[in-house]
Every structure is written in C-alpha cells, then in structure tokens.
Amino acid sequence: MTRSGHLTVILVLAFFLLVPGMARSEEKAPSFNLPQWGTEKRFSLEDFRGQIVVLDFFSASCGICFRASWEIGIDIQAFYEARSGNSHGIPVKVVAVNSDIASQDDMKAFIEETELDLVLNDSKGALLEDYGGSTLPYLVVIDAAGTEESPAPRVVYKEGIYEGVEGLRRAIDAISGKSRPAGSGLNTLTGKMQETDQHIIHEASLDNATLNASDLFVTDTQLKYRQERPTEEFSFALSYRRIDMDYSSRVYGVSRGKTITADHISLQGSASLDLNKTLTYTAGGGFYDGFQTYRALWLDQYYRHAFDVLNELTENIEGYEKADPRGYNISNSLRWEYLPDTGFAEASISYQHDIVSPGYDMGVEIVRLRDTYDTISSRIASENILTPRVRTLAELRVDNTTDRDVRFTIQGSLNYAIDDHWVLRLTAGGAKEAPNFTSKSVSALLEYDWHDTWFMSLFGRYYEDSSEIGNAIVWNAAAPPLETYQAGLGLRRQGHYTSFRFVMGPCFSRYDRRADRDTAFDQLYSDRDWLSVQAVFVHRF
C-alpha cells in the first residue's frame, strides 16, 4: 500500500475513535393553544393533563410524514387504546400538528389516507420551532401525567428522523406517573425494549433492470430482504446478472463472429447497530462470481480468439488460461448525528479483493498480465438539513488499488423542495487518478407528487472521462475517452405497505476513437444507443 493509502486508513480510524456521543436531557414542555383543522374549536396542552401526549408535526406535502402519521395512528394510538394506556395504565393521545402551508385538497387527502384523529393547525410552524424542530416529520413525547415532584408537563423524547415507532414506544412505556431517580432523562430511553414489546419491520423487494443495445443485452435482477428492529437493522441481497453479446473482431487477419453469454451472481449482507442516540455502526460483506461487465467478457473472448488463431498458424502456443473472475468485499462504517436531526457525518472503510479476467501481451513473448487486485477504499460524507426544504450531501472517496495510483472522487448533491409538490435534486462530481485519468458528471431530477401517493419524475445525466485505466489489459485495449448522455421518465407509487417504481429512458455512449487506434477493438468501443428500463417492487410487513 502506498503512503497515501496508509494516511487514508489512519484518518478514517481517527474519526471513528474521536467522535463523542451526545446526551439529551428532559425539558419543560412549551404550552400551546391551537385550532383544530377545519373547525373553530381550540386545544391547549392543559386539555391533555393526566395523559401521555405524542405530538406528530407534519406537512401534507411530505412523503415521509404520510408514512409516519399512518404508522403512528395504528402502532401508537390504536395500540395503546386497545391496552387502555401504556404499561403503567396511563392514557396515550396522538395529536397531529400541521406545520406547513397546505391546500384544502391536500390536507383533506392526507387526513383521509392517514385516518388522523385529532389535527391541529399551525401552518407557520411556530410550535415546531418552540419544540426545537427544523425538519418534518418531527415527533415529540410529552409526559403530562403529572407527579407531586414534577406536576408540569415535560418533554421526554424528540425524534427528527423517522425510522419507525420503536423509540416512541420506549419513551411512552418508560413513563410511570411517578417521580424518577435523579439524573434520569432522554438518554435513559435508549435502552432495549422488553422482548414482548419489540416492533419488528420486514421489507422484501424485487429489482429488475435492463440495458439493451443493438448488439448487447444486460439484465440485472436483485432480491433483497431487510429487517428493522428497535436499535438494529439487517439486510441480505441476492443478485443475478445475465450478459448476451454479439462478438465480432478480426485478429491476425482472421475474423470471428459469434454470440457470447455470461452469468454473474453475487450475495451481499449488512448489519447496523445503534451504539447510542447519535452513533450507528454498520458492517457488511459479500462475494460475487462471474464477469462483472460486458467489456470484460468481450476482452476474454478476444484473447481466446487470438490464441485460437495462433494455434492454427503455429502449433503448441502456450500461455492461455481460462478466466475465472470472482471476488469478495468487507466494509465498516460509522454514522454520527453531530447536530440533532439536522447534521450527519459518516466515515467508512472497505476492502475489495478481485480475481479478474486478465489481458495478454501478445508480443515476441506471450505474457499473461496480473489477474488479482486488492482495493482499500475510504469515504467521508456530511449530510446537512439546512432548512425544511433544503438538504445537502458532500462526499469524498479515496481508492487505493494494487499497482495503481490513488484515485480521489468528490461528489455533492442538493435536494430542494420547490413547493408542496415539486422537488429538485442536483448532483455533481468528479474523479482524478494519476497519471492522466479525470472524470466529471452532473445529473438533475425533477419530481412531482399527487397527495404523497403518486410521484412522476424527469431526470437527465451527463458523464465524461479522459480514458479508462486498466492494469489487467495492455495499453491498446484500454477504453478511449468516453461521453455518455442519459435521460428518462419515472413513475412511483408509495402505499402503506406496498410500493413500486418504474423508470425508462435512453442512454447514449460516445467514444473518441482516434486514428491510430487498434481496429480490432472497434466493436467493443463502438458508439451505442441504449434503452434503460427498471422496475422495483417493495413490500413491508
């Protein structure tokens, strides 16, 4: 490993070791007096004395709010009503608070779909700010049961990133109506729930994507299972790729044309654990078997072609070995919530081992090039919610591969909610690797939604690089400078338990094939017009 690689590893490990945790303490609940949506009746915090109050701050134009409000209605309001209160018999009341400007139609659809019981209106978001919120949805648990030592309602839990009802249940069940030991507060609510009260969410998905050109067809199918627990998450994904390609080339004056195929299979898994309220650790790993790209498959066929021709011209040409591409990877990452609900940093380090389909130097002496590579990668990212409508993400990645210089990649993205129904996502990035590789890309997506149920998107992407670096092949087989253009339309439906997404559009790849090129590779690096189609189905249970 180079000196730069060692430095990268040290910086990432230092980030892991130096990040501190963040504790939270209880606070007096700010009072309020708000009108009920659609009526002149008003409610104040005093109206809920003797109960546990869950404030669900939402916006009718927020898709995550839709999911959160619907699940809270079933898994909090109905759950505790059926049990006549929490584990100590204290009644639980969910109070939804509209915290954004919304049309009558949007609010009516949102309330009907989520079946909200009590909705208060605070379209300017003043109460949201009083409770320290800056994003939606925002959830607060208030102990208004009252005790002799603490008669005033107090905040015992806040959550700005909705990940299920587990945290809410822990907070609710911890309220006993009695005084607490000194020093108890929100940080004590991170303990595990009793096994009988654990709420487990399962999610299964099927993802199928295809790329189709005149001489090439690639299809990817992935089956994925994900499980969410109160402080843990697990996922497993099985993927299958099929490549069908027309091979055509001329080697040593002999032409060959045939259809070549290859199968690629991979298995990937990960596990995440909440170390405390601000730190989440994730470990992952997986393996694959088969050609990863159509380019690797074509080059393998080219060298078989060359050896077949040489054996016809000269007997007993040795040196060719059947390719058996495969590999495995492991990764570790740590995510830190450095600003409550609005600022996140993530650092990761991963190791990838690849056995590739190598090239051959067909000179005076035939030389088989390297076929094993090790890559150590590190990544640092920062995600910030600047306003309820603006979210940013900045990433830096460093890759250190055997026999290659270090590659640096930087990328930034902006997510901007233009209004209640329009969202714009912009992404730009670039990479650099000595001696002469550079790349840059930019993409944009515009999405419109109908009542947080149906979503339609229009997107475009541009990419270019100076030429691809590949140690496993000789210089004349390396990819020339490339430009790609992609556009498409997407349609998505988000339901309570089931959702699906369909995306389709053209993609155009253009190579700068210079005059001094080796024409044997013209088919591989020919300009292509692709059709990209993807369909994703997700079910939660």
Side-chain angles (χ1 to χ4, degrees), residues 10 23 103 140 165 167 169 172 303 324 364 366 382 396 452 458:
I10 292 172
S103 68
V140 177
V165 300
R169 284 192 180 179
I172 291 169
Y303 290 114
D324 185 20
V364 176
I366 296 176
S382 176
L396 171 64
D452 302 310
L458 172 67

Side-chain angles (χ1 to χ4, degrees), residues 40-229:
E40 296 181 357
K41 187 176 181 179
R42 303 184 72 88
F43 286 85
S44 69
L45 185 55
E46 289 298 315
D47 294 327
F48 304 102
R49 290 303 295 266
Q51 303 179 56
I52 298 168
V53 181
V54 179
L55 295 181
D56 171 18
F57 295 93
F58 73 93
S59 168
S61 62
C62 165
I64 300 177
C65 298
F66 180 85
R67 171 196 163 194
S69 295
W70 187 82
E71 291 183 355
I72 290 169
I74 294 176
D75 295 332
I76 298 296
Q77 186 70 69
F79 178 86
Y80 286 107
E81 283 181 355
R83 289 159 178 76
S84 299
N86 74 345
S87 56
H88 300 280
I90 303 174
V92 177
K93 182 64 177 178
V94 174
V95 179
V97 183
N98 172 49
S99 303
D100 199 0
I101 298 174
S103 68
Q104 291 283 346
D105 289 342
D106 286 347
M107 280 295 295
K108 181 179 179 181
F110 190 93
I111 294 173
E112 288 179 353
E113 289 289 332
T114 57
E115 300 180 357
L116 291 173
D117 181 30
L118 177 59
V119 180
L120 305 184
N121 189 33
D122 181 35
S123 58
K124 294 183 178 180
L127 188 61
L128 175 68
E129 294 183 5
D130 290 344
Y131 276 87
S134 59
T135 62
L136 295 171
Y138 188 69
L139 303 170
V140 177
V141 176
I142 301 172
D143 178 1
T147 65
E148 293 181 0
E149 294 83 357
S150 179
R154 64 188 191 278
V155 175
V156 297
Y157 182 83
K158 295 179 180 180
E159 180 177 282
I161 301 297
Y162 181 72
E163 297 179 342
V165 300
E166 293 79 13
L168 296 173
R169 284 192 180 179
R170 288 197 299 271
I172 291 169
D173 288 332
I175 298 173
S176 64
K178 300 177 182 178
S179 60
R180 292 186 175 191
S184 64
L186 291 183
N187 56 321
T188 66
L189 300 179
T190 60
K192 292 184 178 180
M193 298 170 59
Q194 295 181 0
E195 291 296 322
T196 56
D197 287 335
Q198 279 200 354
H199 186 66
I200 301 175
I201 297 175
H202 306 269
E203 183 179 279
S205 64
L206 173 63
D207 186 341
N208 183 263
T210 62
L211 273 173
N212 188 19
S214 60
D215 61 345
L216 179 59
F217 184 78
V218 181
T219 179
D220 274 290
T221 301
Q222 182 188 82
L223 289 171
K224 185 176 181 180
Y225 169 75
R226 185 171 65 90
Q227 183 183 109
E228 293 182 18
R229 291 175 175 267

Side-chain angles (χ1 to χ4, degrees), residues 276-316:
N276 55 38
K277 289 294 291 182
T278 61
L279 293 175
T280 300
Y281 171 74
T282 302
F287 67 89
Y288 72 88
D289 183 81
F291 291 96
Q292 295 198 76
T293 66
Y294 73 85
R295 178 169 171 261
L297 174 63
W298 192 97
L299 287 169
D300 176 67
Q301 182 63 38
Y302 169 82
Y303 290 114
R304 289 190 186 190
H305 182 182
F307 272 91
D308 288 345
V309 174
L310 288 175
N311 273 306
E312 291 178 1
L313 299 175
T314 305
E315 295 183 357
N316 300 322

Side-chain angles (χ1 to χ4, degrees), residues 279-497:
L279 293 175
T280 300
Y281 171 74
T282 302
F287 67 89
Y288 72 88
D289 183 81
F291 291 96
Q292 295 198 76
T293 66
Y294 73 85
R295 178 169 171 261
L297 174 63
W298 192 97
L299 287 169
D300 176 67
Q301 182 63 38
Y302 169 82
Y303 290 114
R304 289 190 186 190
H305 182 182
F307 272 91
D308 288 345
V309 174
L310 288 175
N311 273 306
E312 291 178 1
L313 299 175
T314 305
E315 295 183 357
N316 300 322
I317 294 295
E318 298 180 354
Y320 177 77
E321 297 179 26
K322 184 178 179 180
D324 185 20
R326 60 191 186 278
Y328 63 88
N329 65 82
I330 56 174
S331 63
N332 293 272
S333 68
L334 191 66
R335 182 175 173 86
W336 172 36
E337 182 183 339
Y338 59 84
L339 291 176
D341 306 321
T342 59
F344 309 87
E346 184 173 352
S348 63
I349 186 167
S350 62
Y351 168 75
Q352 175 81 38
H353 177 75
D354 295 295
I355 300 176
V356 304
S357 172
Y360 293 83
D361 187 350
M362 310 292 287
V364 176
E365 181 181 357
I366 296 176
V367 178
R368 189 175 192 266
L369 303 181
R370 173 184 283 277
D371 65 353
T372 60
Y373 289 90
D374 297 301
T375 301
I376 294 179
S377 302
S378 59
R379 172 181 172 272
I380 297 177
S382 176
E383 183 177 4
N384 296 274
I385 301 173
L386 304 181
T387 73
R389 293 184 179 273
V390 179
R391 178 191 295 260
T392 63
L393 175 65
E395 302 174 87
L396 171 64
R397 180 183 174 96
V398 181
D399 297 295
N400 190 5
T401 301
T402 306
D403 289 347
R404 285 172 56 167
D405 287 297
V406 176
R407 176 173 293 193
F408 298 91
T409 304
I410 187 170
Q411 180 171 286
S413 62
L414 172 69
N415 192 49
Y416 175 52
I418 300 173
D419 61 21
D420 292 346
H421 299 283
W422 290 95
V423 174
L424 176 65
R425 299 182 179 93
L426 300 173
T427 303
K432 185 174 182 60
E433 177 182 339
N436 54 15
F437 174 84
T438 59
S439 72
K440 59 184 179 182
S441 65
V442 61
S443 65
L445 181 146
L446 184 64
E447 185 175 70
Y448 180 83
D449 77 87
W450 288 270
H451 305 308
D452 302 310
T453 302
W454 288 94
F455 300 79
M456 179 170 284
S457 59
L458 172 67
F459 70 91
R461 181 177 184 269
Y462 171 77
Y463 168 86
E464 71 171 40
D465 64 41
S466 56
S467 66
E468 188 169 329
I469 296 176
N471 293 34
I473 57 177
V474 292
W475 67 269
N476 63 337
L482 169 68
E483 289 186 344
T484 64
Y485 310 83
Q486 185 177 7
L489 287 170
L491 180 66
R492 175 167 62 97
R493 187 186 189 281
Q494 184 68 48
H496 295 321
Y497 295 110

